[in-house]
């Protein structure tokens, strides 16, 4: 620490009283840390997790199974676990008061126990913490429960059905009395919430705005704070500020326990670029489970003003104004850089799966308009039944299916392509199976014939959509959002039905996809879409906000994607053409989404309908993969049930899949290769108006690629703007994707890496002289940059959506594949396909 900073700290502590600086760290009265399944103690950032042996007197369990992973290491709480084959109880003697309960899970295989498929519930005497919980990758769940009426805490682990439960480590630790006290205000409505002390809380998001991830060793209560960039809607509207040393804890307002200095000392600030007329909000979007109320704690500290009373700003929750013209310095008795926290409770149980928090300038500002936020905690509150879990997990990300423009044109193309389809199927494909196929908007529907469910003809069938009822949206709310399916709000037609733009009561823009209730079809896709999307959360996958099955409706509600389909930006519209860099970034985004699907679970999910019309773009042109109606797990399932009807979209279809009827994730890689050509050439994948050799884009472009003359057929608007190296890399990558045999194609992870490389090659020319094709120089220096993040492991590059859960450590590209057993969901789908 520099002496200047040190001097400043001393001054600060004088101002704010010595006590606060000297009593370093809160010492919890009760502090049980258990290293489950392990025979040794382990110290993690200064905290000792005791051996399971020492903890065994706290536990009553019908079995004694201590599991260790192959990667047994004595210094990691995640490499051992205890397995509970029947109802098991921990009993902790405690002083009354609030306690953290932290449950650490890291599923691995041990003998016959596949922890990734374990399903169980966890409850205290008073509250249900987890119900029918399944965990696919390492996760820590944090709760705080007040022990009011007794002197002990009883934690019960109960396997669901004939499954089992497991646990890698457990913390039961006192929380300072003052941390959750008082009556928080309702966000956006008058009055106060009473009875906070009876609430069990689950930490859903704990975020350090504008700063790094804060780990337990930097927090006196061993909490984890995530950075906010994943949640920010428009990153280019903000800047990060860091002035950790200037934070002042004013007695009576906040202490180091409220939030550490590293949280108060950094913020995300509205970037008004010193423009006195700037007027916009900075918004964060957080995934939550619908059906619950939430406790929100804002952390503020004015580290941006130079003097008192300069900063005035508004705070909104779900578009409702909660504080107008907040002036931190006057709240804090004229202290600048004082730590301040504010608590709110959402008025009603959330109807949607997200909470949107915004800050924006107040009309009162004195110098230039700005607004800040330093930290935010979002905690789920138990419902009236004392539950924190209704059995399902959250979905997330954002987005939708929208087909914005030129509906007529799209239909035209569809009809045209169908004609070609008929011709081509006859001409080229001497395959045995009828390819009941389809272009863009004419899918084959799979009626659900097994299990006695009989498509959508009666309202009760849809009740079989497993445990996803927390996504159910009332029809009245959907009608309100779309003005009763107002035709003026229709933005497109898909195979499933019409798509409408709508707005929910909380201001969220949505795309509402309404299945044709008369069609008696589409139920399987409806179901698959809900089941797939409600389990996957990723920045580059569209997320479902909810569904509605009232009155035999089949309605899917997604977040609205401002910029529509990738396809509409390539051809057939008047939209401005995308730059090469934008196109590469879109390819990279969608490749990430697919890579996540393919690697997200021991059973990969195959999308089966990858095409430019299923890649959607948000307001910042960020790509998200949409339309999971055809997706399924594979390839294991297909080996037992070869030959299902070939599905997908014509022009994108993997010829090997056609020949062998065997589905693997390499079929998606093939289709993605076709999308890449589409992106490069900006023309339809099948264009019947062209000469025969040009009709099929993949064939035609491969001819040019083989000749090494791909540049002849690129989108005219890209002429002279693609760096030859970048184009070469891109062309080679497509070529590999389009290999005849799946085994010869790269994985999506490899494709992703190659695309990143193509982008770097393009960037290099922008940095240097755009006129000069100086390839040898560049190749020389680039690999160094690449080695940094490659090492043959493309996963390190893949962004991880980890909303909704606090993850102990970022481990791989894979996370959060929670939820019900995929195989169960999909096996039903597959059974129904044999025709
Ligand atoms: C976290 O704590 C360590 C010491 O335990 C310190 O070196 C480091 O600078 C701290 N990090 C932050 C972001 O405060
Ligand atoms: C900020 O958001 C609120 C709530 O959505 C809205 O009422 C207000 O007009 C927004 N302000 C600006 C400048 O966009
Ligand atoms: C949470 O559970 C407690 C029971 O411990 C109950 O008294 C309280 O009303 C519940 N909270 C809500 C908001 O229903």
């Amino acid at each position: 620490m520099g002496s200047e900073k040190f001097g400043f700290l001393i001054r600060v502590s004088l101002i704010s009283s010595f006590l606060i600086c000297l009593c370093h760290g809160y010492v919890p009265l009760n502090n049980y840390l258990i290293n489950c399944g392990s025979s040794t103690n382990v110290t993690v950032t200064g905290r000792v997790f005791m051996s399971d042996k020492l903890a065994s007197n706290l536990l009553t369990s019908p079995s004694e199974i201590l599991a260790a992973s192959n990667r047994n290491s004595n210094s990691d709480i995640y490499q051992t676990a205890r397995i509970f084959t029947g109802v098991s109880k921990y009993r902790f003697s405690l002083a009354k008061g609030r306690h953290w309960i932290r449950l650490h899970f890291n599923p691995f295989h041990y003998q016959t126990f596949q922890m990734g498929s374990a399903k169980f519930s966890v409850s205290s005497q008073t509250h249900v913490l987890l119900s029918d919980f399944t965990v696919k990758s390492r996760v820590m769940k944090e709760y705080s429960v007040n022990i009011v009426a007794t002197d002990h805490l009883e934690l019960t682990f109960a396997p669901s059905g004939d499954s089992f439960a497991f646990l890698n480590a457990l913390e039961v630790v006192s929380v300072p009395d003052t941390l959750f006290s008082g009556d928080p205000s309702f966000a956006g409505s008058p009055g106060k919430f009473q009875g906070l002390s009876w609430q069990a809380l689950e930490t859903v998001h704990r975020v350090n705005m504008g700063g790094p991830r804060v780990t337990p060793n930097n927090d006196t209560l061993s909490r984890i704070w995530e950075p906010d960039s994943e949640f920010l809607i428009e990153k280019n509207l903000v800047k990060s500020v860091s002035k950790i040393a200037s934070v002042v804890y004013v007695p009576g307002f906040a202490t180091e326990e409220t939030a550490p200095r590293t949280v108060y000392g950094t913020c995300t600030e509205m970037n008004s670029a010193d423009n006195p007329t700037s007027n916009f909000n900075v918004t964060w979007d957080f995934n939550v489970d619908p059906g619950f109320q939430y406790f929100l704690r804002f952390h503020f500290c004015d580290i941006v003003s130079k003097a008192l009373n300069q900063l005035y700003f508004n705070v909104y929750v779900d578009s409702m104004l909660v504080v107008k013209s907040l002036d931190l310095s006057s709240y804090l008795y004229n202290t600048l850089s004082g730590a301040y926290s504010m608590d709110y409770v959402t008025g009603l149980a959330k109807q949607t799966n997200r909470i949107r928090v915004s800050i924006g300038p107040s009309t009162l500002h004195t110098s230039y308009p700005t607004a800040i936020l330093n930290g935010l905690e979002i905690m789920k509150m138990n419902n009236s039944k004392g539950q924190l879990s209704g059995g399902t997990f959250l979905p997330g990300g954002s987005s939708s299916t929208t087909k914005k423009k030129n509906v007529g044109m799209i239909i035209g193309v569809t009809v045209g392509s169908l004609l070609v389809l008929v011709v081509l199927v006859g001409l080229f494909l001497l395959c045995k199976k009828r390819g009941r196929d389809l272009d863009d908007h004419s899918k084959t529907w799979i009626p659900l014939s097994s299990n006695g469910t009989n498509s959508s003809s009666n309202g009760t069938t849809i009740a079989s959509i497993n445990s996803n009822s927390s996504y159910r949206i009332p029809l009245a709310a959907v009608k309100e959002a779309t003005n009763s399916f107002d035709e003026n709000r229709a933005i497109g037609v898909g195979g499933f039905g019409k798509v409408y733009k709508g707005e929910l009561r909380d201001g969220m823009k949505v795309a509402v996809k309404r299945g044709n209730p008369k069609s008696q079809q589409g139920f399987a896709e409806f179901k698959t879409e809900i089941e797939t999307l409600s389990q996957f959360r990723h920045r580059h996958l569209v997320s479902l906000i909810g569904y509605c099955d009232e009155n035999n409706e089949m309605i899917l509600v997604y977040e609205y994607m401002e910029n529509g389909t990738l396809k509409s930006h390539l051809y057939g519209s008047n939209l401005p053409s995308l730059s090469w860099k934008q196109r590469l970034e879109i390819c990279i985004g969608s490749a990430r989404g697919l890579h996540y699907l393919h690697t997200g679970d021991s059973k990969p999910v195959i999308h089966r309908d990858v095409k430019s019309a299923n890649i959607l773009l948000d307001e910042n042109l960020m790509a998200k993969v949409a339309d999971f109606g055809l997706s399924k797990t594979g390839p294991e399932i297909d080996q037992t049930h070869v030959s299902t009807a070939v599905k997908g979209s014509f022009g994108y279809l993997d010829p090997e899949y056609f020949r062998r009827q065997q589905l693997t994730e390499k079929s998606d890689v093939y289709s993605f290769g076709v999308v890449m050509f589409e992106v490069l050439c900006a023309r339809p994948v099948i264009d019947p108006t062209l000469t025969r050799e040009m009709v099929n884009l993949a064939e035609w472009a491969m001819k040019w690629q083989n000749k090494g003359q791909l540049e002849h057929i690129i989108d005219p608007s890209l002429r002279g703007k693609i760096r030859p190296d970048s184009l070469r890399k891109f062309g080679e990558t497509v070529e590999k994707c389009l290999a005849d045999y799946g085994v010869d194609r790269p994985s999506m992870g490899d494709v992703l890496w190659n695309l990143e490389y193509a982008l770097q090659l393009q960037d290099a020319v922008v940095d240097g002289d755009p006129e000069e094709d100086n390839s040898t120089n560049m190749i020389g220096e680039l690999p160094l940059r690449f080695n940094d993040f490659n090492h043959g492991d493309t996963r390190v590059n893949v962004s991880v959506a980890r909303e909704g859960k606090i993850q102990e450590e970022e481990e791989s590209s894979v996370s959060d594949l929670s939820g019900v057993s995929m195989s169960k969901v999909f096996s039903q789908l597959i059974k129904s396909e044999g025709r």
Side-chain angles (χ1 to χ4, degrees):
M1 184 181 293
S3 62
E4 196 186 310
K5 275 190 194 157
F6 189 61
F8 190 77
L9 258 189
I10 290 185
R11 235 171 58 227
V12 166
S13 49
L14 283 175
I15 297 169
S16 61
S17 104
F18 267 110
L19 260 181
I20 288 165
C21 269
L22 291 181
C23 58
H24 224 16
Y26 156 83
V27 180
L29 193 56
N30 302 118
N31 192 21
Y32 294 94
L33 308 177
I34 304 174
N35 185 11
C36 302
S38 170
S39 55
T40 55
N41 290 354
V42 58
T43 305
V44 182
T45 59
R47 302 198 307 151
V48 181
F49 283 74
M50 66 174 151
S51 127
D52 199 328
K53 291 211 174 104
L54 298 176
S56 60
N57 61 328
L58 301 170
L59 179 70
T60 326
S61 177
S63 56
E64 173 85 12
I65 304 174
L66 306 183
S69 77
N70 307 332
R71 205 147 56 90
N72 197 355
S73 113
N74 286 332
S75 60
D76 185 346
I77 54 171
Y78 288 106
Q79 302 311 324
T80 57
R82 188 181 259 275
I83 286 169
F84 308 103
T85 52
V87 175
S88 306
K89 280 186 198 317
Y90 279 99
R91 190 177 198 278
F92 299 95
S93 298
L94 297 172
K96 289 193 174 76
R98 196 172 272 278
H99 288 76
W100 299 122
I101 300 173
R102 297 196 180 107
L103 307 173
H104 299 260
F105 300 104
N106 179 38
F108 55 84
H109 291 189
Y110 175 72
Q111 295 176 355
T112 57
F113 297 97
Q114 296 206 357
M115 299 183 203
S117 58
K119 190 172 180 188
F120 55 97
S121 302
V122 181
S123 49
S124 74
Q125 302 99 305
T126 44
H127 296 96
V128 179
L129 308 184
L130 290 168
S131 59
D132 289 337
F133 175 68
T134 297
V135 56
K136 298 292 183 199
S137 62
R138 182 193 291 190
V139 78
M140 189 269 283
K141 306 282 289 174
E142 182 186 272
Y143 304 88
S144 81
V145 174
N146 205 359
I147 311 296
V148 224
T150 56
D151 59 357
H152 68 276
L153 167 70
E154 209 167 76
L155 270 187
T156 307
F157 287 75
S160 308
D162 53 6
S163 188
F164 63 95
F166 75 99
L167 183 64
N168 300 77
L170 172 62
E171 300 178 36
V172 174
V173 182
S174 310
V175 173
D177 292 337
T178 50
L179 195 66
F180 296 100
S181 56
D183 295 335
S185 306
F186 283 114
S189 54
K192 301 238 177 203
F193 177 84
Q194 273 152 11
L196 185 62
S197 63
W198 296 91
Q199 276 318 122
L201 301 171
E202 176 187 344
T203 310
V204 202
H205 297 284
R206 181 179 285 131
V207 187
N208 177 20
M209 269 69 191
R213 185 167 194 265
V214 178
T215 48
N217 54 321
N218 292 84
D219 181 299
T220 54
L221 302 184
S222 303
R223 292 166 294 196
I224 295 169
W225 302 74
E226 300 290 347
D228 68 328
S229 55
E230 278 286 322
F231 308 105
L232 260 174
I233 304 243
E234 286 189 87
K235 297 185 187 54
N236 51 340
L237 297 182
V238 301
K239 55 188 175 192
S240 300
V241 181
S242 174
K243 269 194 201 162
I244 294 175
S246 64
V247 175
V248 180
Y249 287 105
V250 181
F253 286 92
T255 66
E256 202 119 18
E257 278 68 59
T258 319
R261 263 170 213 287
T262 36
V263 172
Y264 282 117
T266 62
C267 71
T268 290
E269 184 185 6
M270 167 187 173
N271 189 356
S272 51
D274 290 330
N275 176 352
T277 61
S278 289
N279 189 17
F280 56 84
N281 292 329
V282 174
T283 301
W284 294 263
D285 226 3
F286 298 95
N287 269 285
V288 296
D289 270 349
F292 292 89
Q293 278 180 277
Y294 287 84
F295 171 85
L296 276 74
R297 175 166 288 174
F298 290 86
H299 298 277
F300 293 110
C301 180
D302 181 0
I303 53 171
V304 302
S305 295
K306 308 231 165 22
L308 293 173
N309 310 105
Q310 272 189 348
L311 174 68
Y312 297 89
F313 60 97
N314 297 337
V315 181
Y316 308 87
V317 173
D318 288 335
S319 304
M320 291 174 296
L321 183 64
V322 298
V323 203
K324 193 172 178 202
S325 304
L326 177 64
D327 173 10
L328 295 166
S329 54
S330 75
Y331 271 121
L332 288 159
Y333 307 125
N334 293 333
T335 308
L336 202 57
S337 306
Y340 189 78
S341 75
M342 293 190 322
D343 295 343
Y344 288 93
V345 165
T346 56
L348 294 169
K350 287 291 293 177
Q351 286 195 335
T352 61
N353 65 350
R354 58 198 58 210
I355 290 181
R356 191 164 261 227
V357 167
S358 310
I359 51 171
S362 145
T363 45
L364 268 187
H365 64 84
T366 48
S367 50
Y368 63 98
T370 193
I372 60 163
L373 183 57
N374 304 64
L376 179 68
E377 291 171 273
I378 298 182
M379 298 186 186
K380 190 200 269 184
M381 298 167 56
N382 68 260
N383 63 18
S384 56
K385 294 181 202 141
Q387 297 166 323
L388 278 167
S389 164
T392 23
F393 256 49
L394 9 148
S398 62
S399 136
S400 78
T401 292
T402 59
K403 269 123 206 181
K404 274 188 129 175
K405 307 220 159 103
N406 297 319
V407 170
M409 187 230 81
I410 290 173
I411 292 170
V413 167
T414 306
V415 171
S417 314
L418 269 175
L419 274 178
V420 175
L421 169 118
V422 171
V423 173
L424 290 187
V425 163
L427 273 180
F428 301 115
L429 307 163
L430 304 167
C431 296
K432 46 266 162 177
K433 296 286 162 169
R434 303 148 299 158
R436 288 183 284 123
D437 214 16
L438 24 121
D439 186 60
D440 278 315
H441 307 292
S442 51
K443 278 177 194 140
T444 311
W445 298 98
I446 317 152
L448 200 72
S449 54
S450 59
N451 291 4
T453 38
N454 184 10
S455 94
S456 59
S457 53
N458 68 70
T460 56
T461 53
I462 297 184
S464 68
I465 296 169
N466 305 352
S467 58
N468 276 309
S469 52
S470 54
Y471 297 113
R472 197 173 273 157
I473 296 183
L475 185 57
V478 179
K479 282 192 169 156
E480 186 183 311
T482 55
N483 196 13
S484 295
F485 305 106
D486 184 348
E487 283 308 308
N488 293 325
R489 288 175 177 255
I491 49 176
V493 192
F496 187 80
K498 272 197 181 155
V499 183
Y500 301 84
K501 183 178 175 176
E503 190 168 329
L504 294 178
R505 203 174 267 191
D506 64 7
M508 186 194 291
K509 280 190 199 160
V510 291
V512 175
K513 201 166 158 187
R514 186 188 196 195
N516 181 355
K518 285 189 220 108
S519 78
Q520 302 274 316
Q521 288 182 323
F523 174 68
E525 288 197 26
F526 180 62
K527 185 164 137 60
T528 308
E529 180 96 1
I530 294 170
E531 285 167 350
T532 310
L533 277 182
S534 60
Q535 288 174 78
F536 290 97
R537 284 179 294 122
H538 191 272
R539 204 170 152 72
H540 295 288
L541 299 183
V542 299
S543 77
L544 190 67
I545 287 169
Y547 70 88
C548 171
D549 57 1
E550 258 173 66
N551 288 356
N552 297 336
E553 292 277 359
M554 291 187 287
I555 296 172
L556 294 162
V557 180
Y558 309 85
E559 194 187 356
Y560 183 67
M561 291 285 277
E562 204 67 48
N563 274 309
T565 67
L566 167 61
K567 186 174 179 172
S568 69
H569 289 260
L570 295 174
Y571 48 86
S573 75
N574 301 323
L575 297 170
S577 72
L578 301 167
S579 71
W580 181 234
K581 211 175 144 183
Q582 283 172 322
R583 294 182 205 208
L584 284 175
E585 274 162 358
I586 289 166
C587 289
I588 288 169
S590 15
R592 279 190 210 284
L594 290 171
H595 176 60
Y596 174 81
L597 273 185
H598 290 175
T599 56
D601 198 331
S602 49
K603 279 211 183 67
V605 168
I606 302 168
H607 185 287
R608 291 216 296 177
D609 201 11
V610 175
K611 57 183 176 182
S612 59
N614 281 343
I615 294 172
L616 302 178
L617 305 175
D618 75 2
E619 63 273 30
N620 302 314
L621 294 175
M622 187 168 89
K624 294 177 194 238
V625 179
D627 216 338
F628 294 80
L630 293 181
S631 66
K632 65 164 141 181
T633 51
E636 295 92 319
I637 288 174
D638 258 41
Q639 282 160 7
T640 56
H641 190 275
V642 192
S643 154
T644 58
V646 170
K647 293 184 183 63
S649 288
F650 201 71
Y652 295 94
L653 214 54
D654 169 12
E656 187 180 44
Y657 172 38
F658 226 107
R659 280 195 306 271
R660 298 180 48 207
Q661 311 274 304
Q662 219 184 42
L663 190 66
T664 71
E665 58 270 37
K666 293 295 176 68
S667 302
D668 283 351
V669 174
Y670 182 92
S671 309
F672 191 75
V674 180
V675 172
M676 285 170 71
F677 268 153
E678 214 180 340
V679 161
L680 180 70
C681 306
R683 54 151 278 191
V685 293
I686 298 290
D687 188 344
T689 64
L690 297 172
T691 60
R692 219 192 109 179
E693 54 167 5
M694 290 176 71
V695 167
N696 184 320
L697 171 63
E699 280 177 26
W700 179 62
M702 269 314 294
K703 275 189 196 134
W704 290 95
Q705 166 66 17
N706 290 335
K707 283 193 267 184
Q709 295 178 337
L710 205 50
E711 65 277 10
H712 287 288
I713 58 161
I714 65 174
D715 182 354
S717 73
L718 294 175
R719 290 250 155 85
K721 296 185 182 147
I722 308 181
R723 164 91 195 205
D725 285 338
S726 180
L727 181 60
R728 177 150 31 85
K729 189 81 215 164
F730 191 86
E732 283 166 12
T733 310
V734 187
E735 184 178 343
K736 288 189 199 124
C737 291
L738 297 185
D740 273 344
Y741 295 96
V743 289
D744 299 330
R745 295 177 203 146
S747 69
M748 275 323 291
D750 297 331
V751 175
L752 178 56
W753 184 82
N754 280 291
L755 283 166
E756 299 260 18
Y757 195 16
L759 180 63
Q760 294 272 335
L761 289 166
Q762 181 70 12
D763 269 349
V765 82
V766 177
D767 294 343
D769 183 353
E771 302 303 317
E772 209 164 77
D773 174 16
N774 195 350
S775 55
T776 46
N777 275 349
M778 231 159 24
I779 299 282
E781 67 188 60
L782 269 166
L784 282 178
R785 278 159 81 187
F786 273 90
N787 287 340
D788 287 350
F789 64 83
N790 182 33
H791 287 300
D793 179 7
T794 50
R795 287 178 174 210
V796 292
N797 255 332
V798 176
S799 72
V800 177
R802 58 184 129 65
E803 295 130 277
K805 276 177 256 174
I806 304 230
Q807 251 173 337
E808 187 66 31
E809 222 167 81
E810 213 163 296
E811 199 177 32
S812 70
S813 62
V814 180
S815 81
D816 288 352
L817 301 178
S818 46
V820 278
S821 154
M822 298 284 286
S823 53
K824 211 154 118 199
V825 169
F826 288 103
S827 62
Q828 190 179 14
L829 171 65
I830 282 155
K831 265 188 245 147
S832 67
E833 281 182 358
R835 277 193 166 184

